[in-house]
Amino acid sequence: SQTIHQWPATLVQPVGSPLSLECTVEGTSNPNLYWYRQAAGRGLQLLFYSVGIGQISSEVPQNLSASRPQDRQFILSSKKLLLSDSGFYLCAWSGRGTNYGYTFGSGTRLTVV
Amino acid sequence: AQKVTQAQTEISVVEKEDVTLDCVYETRDTTYYLFWYKQPPSGELVFLIRRNSFDEQNEISGRYSWNFQKSTSSFNFTITASQVVDSAVYFCALSEEKSGGGADGLTFGKGTHLIIQP
């Protein structure tokens, strides 16, 4: 069965520090991968998505970047965190074709102080 | 551009009452998918249902039911005989059909915070 792992679960980082959040998927190949952010107020915003290794599409200009070094690995990064980067970050994957769904990881709660 | 509106920010009911969460969507595509997710206090998103645009049959799963009406672009969610464990934030979401499937991700509504009081 397919599983998605996301870590760390919580993170407190000072302003200006770097960030690296990792997400991996098991039990499937060539998934579509996504990073979402949920800021205070609950809305979920799509940040990045990837349809293959090295292929990243950005939805929102921001202080963050994403990379996909391997088929089932998706990394969210920042060189210098801002206070506004605080939030709940969720990784998700979906399959290909018309009969797909979206499965989310357990999330990372990031607090920038 | 696609859009999902959940006009109810917060709903509070007493346990055992029925409650309906509204969802209205906008899309230019004729093929699309609608979803409902539950987000308990722990934060993870729990998948509840997916419905494609060609299937307007209502669905029932235990105490949960969904009413999809293309004529009003709505996909409402009803919980019958609510329980305290149903307390959570519920999200409605939309995804449009793309070649290769799903690449553009989900567009979410802002969510409805459902509070079930004992």
Side-chain angles (χ1 to χ4, degrees):
Chain A
S1 64
Q2 302 95 348
T3 55
I4 180 169
H5 302 281
Q6 188 180 342
W7 67 93
T10 60
L11 193 59
V12 180
Q13 292 285 92
V15 169
S17 63
L19 173 73
S20 181
L21 302 181
E22 189 163 344
C23 172
T24 60
V25 180
E26 295 178 357
T28 186
S29 59
N30 200 25
N32 294 322
L33 295 172
Y34 310 86
W35 279 110
Y36 286 85
R37 177 170 61 195
Q38 185 177 28
R42 305 196 303 270
L44 281 144
Q45 181 183 43
L46 178 63
L47 301 176
F48 301 96
Y49 67 88
S50 171
V51 299
I53 296 174
Q55 300 178 62
I56 308 295
S57 296
S58 174
E59 289 291 301
V60 180
Q62 58 219 321
N63 186 43
L64 303 169
S65 62
S67 62
R68 185 170 177 174
Q70 300 180 41
D71 180 46
R72 290 169 291 176
Q73 183 185 29
F74 204 24
I75 297 172
L76 182 69
S77 304
S78 174
K79 292 182 179 178
K80 289 185 178 181
L81 284 169
L82 306 172
L83 286 174
S84 58
D85 292 323
S86 293
F88 189 54
Y89 290 82
L90 287 156
C91 180
W93 77 274
S94 73
R96 307 275 180 177
T98 57
N99 189 28
Y100 62 86
Y102 293 81
T103 303
F104 287 81
S106 55
T108 296
R109 200 166 300 277
L110 171 66
T111 304
V112 182
V113 296
Chain B
Q2 49 190 339
K3 183 179 178 182
V4 176
T5 301
Q6 295 179 256
Q8 304 150 310
T9 304
E10 185 174 288
I11 299 175
S12 181
V13 300
V14 178
E15 198 172 20
K16 298 184 182 178
E17 289 185 8
D18 299 347
V19 58
T20 296
L21 308 181
D22 297 333
C23 174
V24 175
Y25 62 91
E26 296 177 25
T27 176
R28 295 179 183 175
D29 280 14
T30 56
T31 303
Y32 52 89
Y33 297 83
L34 294 164
F35 301 76
W36 275 95
Y37 285 87
K38 174 181 180 180
Q39 187 178 44
S42 55
E44 77 273 21
L45 282 177
V46 179
F47 169 80
L48 296 178
I49 190 172
R50 175 176 55 119
R51 171 69 71 224
N52 74 56
S53 53
F54 297 107
D55 182 2
E56 286 194 72
Q57 280 191 335
N58 291 332
E59 175 139 349
I60 298 174
S61 176
R63 296 184 296 106
Y64 295 172
S65 62
W66 290 269
N67 183 0
F68 177 29
Q69 292 195 343
K70 289 179 75 171
S71 60
T72 56
S73 297
S74 65
F75 187 42
N76 297 337
F77 172 32
T78 298
I79 301 175
T80 303
S82 60
Q83 300 177 2
V84 173
V85 294
D86 295 327
S87 297
V89 179
Y90 290 86
F91 289 97
C92 181
L94 167 72
S95 181
E96 294 172 338
E97 174 78 346
K98 301 295 178 186
S99 62
D104 283 2
L106 291 164
T107 297
F108 284 88
K110 293 188 182 299
T112 297
H113 185 196
L114 178 62
I115 301 169
I116 310 298
Q117 300 177 12

